[in-house]
Amino acid sequence: MSTPRDLMIVALDVAPSRPLGRGDLSLALAGAEAYDLLRTGTVRLRGDRLAPLTGPGPDRLAPLPPPGPEDGLLAEAAAALVREEPYEPLPDWLWRRGRGLSSAYLAALEAEGQVTWERSRWLPFRGGRTVLSDTEARRRAAYRWAADEPVLLALAAAVGIREELTPADPAVTDDTALTVLAAVHDAVMELEAVRQRRALEAAAFANVWRGA
């Protein structure tokens, strides 16, 4: 079971509740990787002991000895971990590992025959859409989605694949998973703030240009 692969398949298979940004999805995929690496004992969370005067800092990802995960992209994630003290803060990992990660997962699914491209007859060399094949991986992801698996559900809600969670939805109770989900949520909010700031700056520049 690979949570990031299942999340990517769900993102391709389910109509989102709001426009789905690649950056948001990439951050969530990095969070899903961190969750799987923690779940399989490839890494552990260690509190930041470097900021005793300012309060606890973000948890850091401390790698553990091999063996690592069998999944190819998760193995890449494990190989990318910072292995020297004081290790990498979880939020920093999300931004570094998440850069372009949705494209990497899409390419992997396509290479495995999980996804094909359906081209438009009117635009044979441009555009088109992804089509999921009927595979065991797709059925597994659909099963986790239909079962309201809490971590998958929370990651999907964080990026807009589904509506925000309600008290009626299954809750994540594991502290480690909650730490990862909180970091993903904060990163997605930070990315949205950056988008809004850039939009305001672009609008202000356009107003100055028109007034010149």
Side-chain angles (χ1 to χ4, degrees):
M1 180 182 72
S2 166
T3 302
R5 282 178 179 272
D6 289 349
L7 178 63
M8 188 70 202
I9 290 171
V10 167
L12 295 170
D13 211 15
V14 175
S17 63
R18 65 176 186 265
L20 186 61
R22 287 190 178 184
D24 297 348
L25 181 56
S26 291
L27 288 169
L29 288 168
E33 286 187 337
Y35 168 71
D36 275 4
L37 294 176
L38 288 160
R39 182 176 55 84
T40 56
T42 306
V43 69
R44 64 181 175 88
L45 287 178
R46 197 189 72 176
D48 188 355
R49 296 172 295 192
L50 300 182
L53 300 179
T54 59
D59 287 290
R60 295 173 180 266
L61 295 172
L64 295 171
E70 295 181 1
D71 179 87
L73 282 169
L74 278 179
E76 286 183 16
L81 292 166
V82 174
R83 297 186 176 275
E84 294 80 27
E85 295 264 12
Y87 306 120
E88 187 172 24
L90 175 58
D92 292 1
W93 157 266
L94 296 181
W95 289 104
R96 181 173 66 85
R97 175 63 183 169
R99 189 174 295 116
L101 196 56
S102 61
S103 296
Y105 270 90
L106 182 59
L109 292 176
E110 188 174 4
E112 296 165 1
Q114 309 278 358
V115 170
T116 58
W117 284 90
E118 186 177 83
R119 299 287 184 180
S120 166
R121 54 181 266 181
W122 304 111
L123 297 171
F125 301 107
R126 292 183 293 139
R129 65 187 183 92
T130 55
V131 178
L132 283 166
S133 305
D134 184 18
T135 62
E136 179 62 30
R138 184 183 185 183
R139 289 190 290 271
R140 182 187 62 238
Y143 175 81
R144 290 183 72 184
W145 183 251
D148 288 341
E149 199 277 325
V151 171
L152 184 62
L153 211 63
L155 288 167
V159 297
I161 298 174
R162 59 152 291 160
E163 298 290 346
E164 291 294 328
L165 299 180
T166 69
D169 290 312
V172 178
T173 56
D174 178 70
D175 287 342
T176 297
L178 287 170
T179 299
V180 173
L181 292 171
V184 170
H185 181 271
D186 289 347
V188 170
M189 292 298 99
E190 184 178 346
L191 181 58
E192 179 58 25
V194 170
R195 290 195 189 105
Q196 292 180 7
R197 185 177 68 249
R198 288 178 177 173
L200 290 172
E201 291 172 350
F205 178 80
N207 288 336
V208 170
W209 181 259
R210 284 195 295 267

